[in-house]
Amino acid sequence: MTFSVQIRRSAAKELARVPQQDRVRIVEAIDRLTQWPHTGSPLKGQHRGLRRVRVGTYRVIYEVQDEVLIVLVVRVAHRRDAYRN
């Protein structure tokens, strides 16, 4: 079962601001989510229902929509900013 990946426009803008070297690693991590979407750690509190994948000092925050086989990337940010609204 392969999931498709959708990236919110705001997350795409955040990804574009990441340095090239880190961006490549982040894109590879997002690609891996198509095969293993539940590998990320589930988040708690106000971010309940979302998951995160750590890529160096960056975090990819995403939602898994099992019923339609979609991984929705919500946020790509440095770890110090990833959980702020």
Side-chain angles (χ1 to χ4, degrees):
M1 195 165 36
T2 301
F3 283 68
S4 62
V5 173
Q6 293 182 354
I7 300 176
R8 280 193 180 165
R9 182 175 287 140
S10 58
K13 287 180 182 179
E14 291 172 336
L15 184 59
R17 285 181 284 219
V18 172
Q20 176 67 29
Q21 183 178 8
D22 294 322
R23 189 179 321 132
V24 170
R25 292 176 47 221
I26 291 169
V27 169
E28 289 171 354
I30 291 172
D31 286 342
R32 282 193 299 273
L33 292 176
T34 62
Q35 295 297 318
W36 301 285
H38 295 284
T39 58
S41 303
L43 298 177
K44 300 176 184 177
Q46 68 185 28
H47 301 291
R48 185 177 303 273
L50 300 176
R51 302 179 82 84
R52 69 141 171 104
V53 171
R54 184 179 136 201
V55 183
T57 58
Y58 289 89
R59 302 296 182 265
V60 176
I61 311 293
Y62 66 97
E63 176 184 7
V64 178
Q65 300 173 356
D66 287 311
E67 60 280 349
V68 288
L69 300 178
I70 291 176
V71 172
L72 176 63
V73 177
V74 176
R75 186 126 202 244
V76 175
H78 191 275
R79 66 183 183 91
R80 72 174 166 259
D81 302 321
Y83 308 106
R84 295 182 185 165
N85 288 335

